Amino acid sequence: MSPIELLAVVSTVAALFAIAIGVMFPALAMGRAIAAALDALARQSEAEKSIMRTLFIGLAMIESLAIYVLVIALIVLFRNPLIEYLLK
Amino acid sequence: MEESKVLMVFGPLHITDTVVSTWGVMIVLMLLSIVFTRGLKTETPSRIQVILESTVSLIETLIADILPDQSRKLVPFIGTLWLFLVVANLMGLIPGLHSPTGNLSITAALAIVVFLSVHWYGIRYDGFKNYLRHYLSPTPLMLPFHLISEVTRTLALAIRLFGNIASLEMAALLVLLVAGFLVPIPLLLLHVVEALVQAYIFGMLALVYIAGGIQTQQQHKDKKEKSS
């Protein structure tokens, strides 16, 4: 395999694994956060507003981790800076 | 990660479709608000006036929940962010148009505005020296962590909005390529929900950051009053 073919194969496989693993753990974290929020909501339903607000902000924080993985995977697939180095 | 199309060239300035759609959203919002706020009535409000009033009061109560005593000062800024982001995020659903927030430059610009306004409101509330002092609390050892968090949270704000909107559009496009006509409609429904949630979260995080800048001052003040 020429280096450029090897790079294509490796970067595709790496991007797939990155997305798979990078989505798995934020999903677990979000599940725990939502479970805790529902627990708190069942105990104290009068605090619904602040619980939901904090939950949304926390979910956004966790979700941004998965988004970082997506951005890195897209960079590896479409704008890999190493390609220029190989083509020189 | 598609390049945005260049529509016009003025010397070294390249006017892309993102810039045009951003200005389009701004002009449409401004014109609509000028037209609809003409001839407001207190006794027999028109249907549009009721909708506008409920929107504004919803924004006011959301802000007052977080910052009860400073909410009037923040309503213009956060309200504008919310309205702009809702319209800009939903714009991608119209065929032929792209969401300007699917471009990293636009979201980075918005995040920088939020970053600067945190300091602006913080300094305006309690003066320059007292504002800078909160970087040294509780101990001066925390200074590097405060500085790092300033940068990373701004970066995260920009990347989050860009990644969500860009990936939604890209996902719909990929499903269209793989499956065919009319199949991506469920994904577009998801786009509506996601666009609203992302606009809410962006404005809410901006609000929380600004509130953080102001409230650290308030605790400081409370402590001073107690000790004196």
Side-chain angles (χ1 to χ4, degrees):
Chain A
M1 257 198 280
S2 71
I4 214 79
E5 282 172 357
L6 190 67
L7 180 79
V9 171
V10 169
S11 59
T12 311
V13 171
L16 291 177
F17 271 101
I19 281 290
I21 298 169
V23 166
M24 208 158 73
F25 289 101
L28 286 176
M30 284 169 116
R32 286 189 65 173
I34 294 170
L38 286 181
D39 216 26
L41 209 56
R43 279 168 208 269
Q44 283 185 304
S45 40
E46 69 273 8
E48 190 209 340
K49 261 189 183 173
S50 60
I51 291 175
M52 291 308 277
R53 192 176 61 223
T54 327
L55 174 69
F56 264 111
I57 293 169
L59 285 186
M61 294 286 180
I62 300 167
E63 189 202 17
S64 62
L65 299 176
I67 295 286
Y68 292 155
V69 175
L70 177 75
V71 170
I72 296 288
L74 289 177
I75 289 174
V76 167
L77 285 180
F78 296 114
R79 289 286 156 81
N80 196 334
L82 292 177
I83 286 180
E84 258 177 56
Y85 172 75
L86 275 181
L87 288 178
K88 255 177 205 172
Chain B
M1 300 233 138
E2 49 195 313
E3 284 283 302
S4 42
K5 256 185 287 170
V6 177
L7 295 180
M8 282 175 277
V9 179
F10 293 113
L13 269 184
H14 291 250
I15 309 291
T16 58
D17 57 346
T18 318
V19 176
V20 174
S21 52
T22 314
W23 280 87
V25 170
M26 278 157 56
I27 289 170
V28 165
L29 277 179
M30 271 192 268
L31 284 183
L32 284 185
S33 34
I34 289 171
V35 168
F36 287 151
T37 48
R38 276 196 171 172
L40 296 178
K41 294 174 213 132
T42 46
E43 263 131 55
T44 53
S46 62
R47 210 176 279 178
I48 290 170
Q49 190 186 338
V50 174
I51 296 173
L52 288 185
E53 278 178 2
S54 58
T55 313
V56 171
S57 67
L58 176 72
I59 291 174
E60 278 180 348
T61 47
L62 277 175
I63 295 175
D65 277 346
I66 291 192
L67 267 180
D69 49 337
Q70 298 283 311
S71 65
R72 299 293 303 178
K73 275 185 199 161
L74 285 170
V75 167
F77 177 57
I78 305 288
T80 312
L81 266 185
W82 264 325
L83 289 179
F84 174 77
L85 284 176
V86 165
V87 176
N89 288 352
L90 286 175
M91 219 175 118
L93 289 172
I94 304 170
L97 293 178
H98 291 291
S99 295
T101 40
N103 187 315
L104 190 53
S105 312
I106 299 288
T107 57
L110 288 174
I112 289 171
V113 171
V114 171
F115 170 78
L116 293 177
S117 61
V118 169
H119 305 303
W120 164 251
Y121 284 108
I123 290 172
R124 207 165 70 153
Y125 185 75
D126 213 28
F128 190 62
K129 264 192 183 166
N130 279 326
Y131 177 71
L132 284 188
R133 199 168 288 151
H134 102 259
Y135 284 103
L136 298 180
S137 71
T139 72
L141 278 180
M142 295 295 280
L143 178 68
F145 300 102
H146 278 299
L147 293 179
I148 290 171
S149 91
E150 290 284 334
V151 176
T152 53
R153 75 187 189 187
T154 309
L155 193 70
L157 209 56
I159 303 267
R160 180 180 307 120
L161 187 59
F162 156 72
N164 273 296
I165 303 299
S167 66
L168 272 174
E169 275 188 7
M170 208 180 292
L173 193 70
L174 284 178
V175 172
L176 184 69
L177 285 178
V178 172
F181 190 53
L182 289 186
V183 184
I185 287 178
L187 268 179
L188 293 182
L189 293 178
L190 191 68
H191 193 142
V192 176
V193 178
E194 191 76 12
L196 295 178
V197 168
Q198 288 307 319
Y200 170 78
I201 282 174
F202 193 97
M204 203 44 122
L205 283 176
L207 185 56
V208 168
Y209 294 158
I210 292 172
I214 291 177
Q215 264 166 10
T216 42
Q217 310 304 314
Q218 209 147 22
Q219 288 161 4
H220 207 70
K221 254 190 191 168
D222 291 345
K223 238 186 238 169
K224 256 189 199 164
E225 274 165 20
K226 263 181 205 166
S227 59
S228 63

